Amino acid sequence: MPKDLDLFFTSVSAAAVSSMSTVEMEVFSNIQLVFFTILMLFGGEVFTSMLGLHLMRFKLHKNRIKDNNIDFVTKDSEKKSIDQLDMVTHSEDEKPDTNLETDIKSMENEALKFKSIIILAQVVFGYLLVVHVAGSSMILMYVSLISNAKQVLKKKQLNLKTFAIFTTVSTFANCGFIPTNENMMIFKKNSGLLLILIPQLLMGNTLYPVCLRLLIWFLEKFMKRAEFRYMLKNSRELGYGHMLPGLHSAFLAFTVFGFLAVQFILFCSLEWNSASTSGVSFYQKIVGSLFQVVNSRHAGEFVFDPSASSPAILVLFVLMM
């Protein structure tokens, strides 16, 4: 059994999503793996950014009540306040007041911004939930149906459900912890499992802003809500760092896939016939190489032994990190 200091160190590592451990992963019990899963979930970038949105909403709500005495929580009171201002503005007995119209427009924008932040927090929560549920379900289905993968987990006395959820949370949070001592090396011939994990690696890290904007664009096209249009047109005003303008999102996606392409070509060129990539088929080597290069910029999971890689590849990994 691991010592208390080892448990504390691994817990801090899980919460900080750094995947450093002083002991082998298989010494931990099932309940300890569950606790590590919770810590990795709470330490993930998407989860912490969602908490930031809720804090932002609370602060904005508090400031608006203090400054304008308007309650943005209940829609009825908000609509009533704006309607009263509109009645004053369009009164036949008085001339329109330009300053009053400006104040009305400003308050309407603030109300729309507030509602947009609320909905954005809900969208991020939905994104987080769907990715984890879908990812865990696909991994569980794979290890249940593929006999050699299932046999590996049974031999190591790992619970299939715990493995699926733990791996999904760790991969999406870009922590890199895997419940096996060999990390993903023991699954280097299970290309299907690697292909399930690759999108999760990207969706929880550098491609998260791109995926979030695409999701909001789709919701705006489908639901036609003003809040989604506001998010797309005023992404900077929201104050959410992961909500990038359209052009910046396109540049980010181009950069991510460009780096991956360069790294994939160099890795295959230098490591194709090396000892670290031996013992697998052509297709398995392609998928494994893609998994390896994606992880070098993200979670740090590995399917080929990094210690057996050439110095040039290690330098390449350092540059990409």
Side-chain angles (χ1 to χ4, degrees), residues 95-114:
K95 295 182 180 180
D97 190 341
T98 304
N99 293 332
L100 186 57
E101 292 179 352
T102 302
D103 292 340
I104 294 172
K105 187 175 182 180
S106 176
M107 284 187 286
E108 289 176 344
N109 287 335
E110 286 296 323
L112 185 58
K113 177 182 177 181
F114 179 75

Side-chain angles (χ1 to χ4, degrees), residues 99-239:
N99 293 332
L100 186 57
E101 292 179 352
T102 302
D103 292 340
I104 294 172
K105 187 175 182 180
S106 176
M107 284 187 286
E108 289 176 344
N109 287 335
E110 286 296 323
L112 185 58
K113 177 182 177 181
F114 179 75
K115 289 188 287 186
S116 298
I117 291 176
I118 295 177
I119 294 177
L120 180 58
Q122 295 171 350
V123 170
V124 173
F125 175 76
Y127 179 88
L128 192 72
L129 182 64
V130 170
V131 172
H132 281 86
V133 172
S136 301
S137 300
M138 287 190 290
I139 293 176
L140 181 60
M141 186 181 301
Y142 183 91
V143 296
S144 300
L145 296 177
I146 306 302
S147 58
N148 61 340
K150 185 176 182 179
Q151 191 63 30
V152 167
L153 298 180
K154 282 190 173 182
K155 185 178 180 181
K156 293 178 175 293
Q157 298 181 346
L158 289 172
N159 183 282
L160 298 185
K161 294 180 181 179
T162 302
F163 174 83
I165 297 174
F166 184 99
T167 304
T168 297
V169 172
S170 177
T171 302
F172 183 79
N174 279 214
C175 180
F177 271 145
I178 298 294
T180 61
N181 293 340
E182 305 88 351
N183 203 274
M184 292 299 294
M185 289 176 59
I186 199 167
F187 297 108
K188 65 180 179 181
K189 294 185 178 181
N190 298 105
S191 300
L193 180 59
L194 302 182
L195 291 175
I196 292 173
L197 296 178
I198 289 174
Q200 298 178 35
L201 289 163
L202 297 171
M203 293 174 69
N205 197 279
T206 50
L207 285 187
Y208 169 58
V210 179
C211 294
L212 180 62
R213 187 171 183 87
L214 287 175
L215 176 60
I216 292 175
W217 176 84
F218 174 80
L219 292 173
E220 193 278 329
K221 294 295 181 182
F222 182 74
M223 302 180 68
K224 305 293 184 182
R225 293 194 59 169
E227 291 85 355
F228 294 126
R229 288 193 295 272
Y230 182 88
M231 294 179 204
L232 294 173
K233 294 181 179 179
N234 304 276
S235 55
R236 294 186 184 277
E237 283 74 10
L238 289 173

Side-chain angles (χ1 to χ4, degrees), residues 7 10-11 14 24-41 153 156-167 169-170 177-181:
L7 288 172
T10 308
S11 299
E24 294 181 329
M25 292 299 296
E26 291 175 23
V27 304
F28 296 113
S29 65
N30 187 72
I31 189 64
Q32 288 171 332
L33 293 178
V34 171
F35 278 116
F36 289 152
T37 302
I38 296 172
L39 291 174
M40 289 187 294
L41 176 65
L153 298 180
K156 293 178 175 293
Q157 298 181 346
L158 289 172
N159 183 282
L160 298 185
K161 294 180 181 179
T162 302
F163 174 83
I165 297 174
F166 184 99
T167 304
V169 172
S170 177
F177 271 145
I178 298 294
T180 61
N181 293 340

Side-chain angles (χ1 to χ4, degrees), residues 236-256:
R236 294 186 184 277
E237 283 74 10
L238 289 173
Y240 185 56
H242 296 291
M243 189 65 197
L244 300 179
L247 185 60
H248 287 190
S249 298
F251 285 154
L252 177 60
F254 177 79
T255 304
V256 170

Side-chain angles (χ1 to χ4, degrees), residues 19-63:
S19 71
M20 293 188 291
S21 179
T22 55
V23 294
E24 294 181 329
M25 292 299 296
E26 291 175 23
V27 304
F28 296 113
S29 65
N30 187 72
I31 189 64
Q32 288 171 332
L33 293 178
V34 171
F35 278 116
F36 289 152
T37 302
I38 296 172
L39 291 174
M40 289 187 294
L41 176 65
F42 289 167
E45 178 66 24
V46 178
F47 184 88
T48 54
S49 69
M50 181 184 68
L51 295 182
L53 280 173
H54 286 289
L55 292 174
M56 189 189 309
R57 182 196 67 174
F58 175 77
K59 183 178 180 180
L60 183 61
H61 171 67
K62 187 177 180 180
N63 290 340

